[in-house]
Amino acid sequence: MPAYVVFIREQSTDQTELQLYSELAPAGLAGHSVNTLAMYGAYQVLEGPDIEGLAILEFPTFEEAQAWYFSPAY
């Protein structure tokens, strides 16, 4: 069963650090079976506080999602 990792960017405080993270983060996915479903594109908040953006990654299994999240590369 697929597993999903959802990133919600609520409020950025340091644009320089955010830019650096944005440049380095994709390399952390190398070697992992992942499908990008959404990456900070258009969205609409229907309930709750507004956000700056969101990303959704799909992994084949929960275990593979955990392996990526806890990997040294990420």
Side-chain angles (χ1 to χ4, degrees), residues 11-52:
Q11 181 180 10
S12 301
T13 57
D14 187 331
Q15 290 300 318
T16 302
E17 287 295 319
L18 179 60
Q19 181 63 35
L20 179 61
Y21 176 82
S22 297
E23 292 169 6
L24 298 175
L29 294 170
H32 295 276
S33 182
V34 59
N35 184 25
T36 302
L37 300 180
M39 188 58 68
Y40 298 102
Y43 65 90
Q44 178 181 13
V45 176
L46 298 176
E47 295 183 21
D50 199 14
I51 62 172
E52 290 182 354

